[in-house]
Amino acid sequence: MTTASDDRTTDLIRWAVFTCLLVPVVLLWYGSSLAGATGTALGLAAVTAACRLLLRRSERCAARSERCATRSPVEYPAPHTAQAPHRGRSRHSGTGCHRGSRHSGGTSPVD
């Protein structure tokens, strides 16, 4: 199934590849050296490939996030209800750097 996002991404990548081919031709047309035009083409191709990877990864993460947001509560495991045993005089339970923290430890983004 192809979505509108996939179509836009594919079009964007096609235009990027087109410019990777067009820029060296224009450089040669205006008198640049073959080595300079080749180096420019390779640099543009590397940047295009990196951007394509990042764009596809971003799309996968967004799709995964969307799937998680639409899950029904039944699919999530039941929360752990047992409390940690009381240790010593302190009223804090738990261990390590999480003890006494005011943060919930959730995965919500920071604004």
Side-chain angles (χ1 to χ4, degrees):
M1 179 176 181
T2 304
T3 64
S5 176
D6 290 340
D7 292 339
R8 286 183 287 177
T9 302
T10 303
D11 288 344
L12 183 69
I13 298 300
R14 285 182 184 162
W15 277 107
V17 169
F18 172 72
T19 58
C20 285
L21 298 174
L22 181 65
V23 168
V25 170
V26 171
L27 287 174
L28 288 173
W29 182 268
Y30 282 100
S32 180
S33 68
L34 182 60
T38 303
T40 302
L42 291 175
L44 287 173
V47 168
T48 300
C51 289
R52 180 179 181 271
L53 282 171
L54 292 172
L55 189 60
R56 297 290 183 187
R57 182 178 179 198
S58 173
E59 286 177 340
R60 283 193 306 267
C61 289
R64 187 180 323 127
S65 175
E66 186 176 309
R67 280 193 312 267
C68 288
T70 59
R71 271 186 171 171
S72 67
V74 176
E75 294 179 34
Y76 291 106
H80 183 67
T81 57
Q83 294 183 359
H86 183 69
R87 296 184 180 128
R89 293 182 174 184
S90 174
R91 293 184 178 248
H92 297 288
S93 60
T95 60
C97 63
H98 296 289
R99 184 178 64 201
S101 174
R102 66 184 181 133
H103 301 288
S104 64
T107 58
S108 61
V110 177
D111 290 345

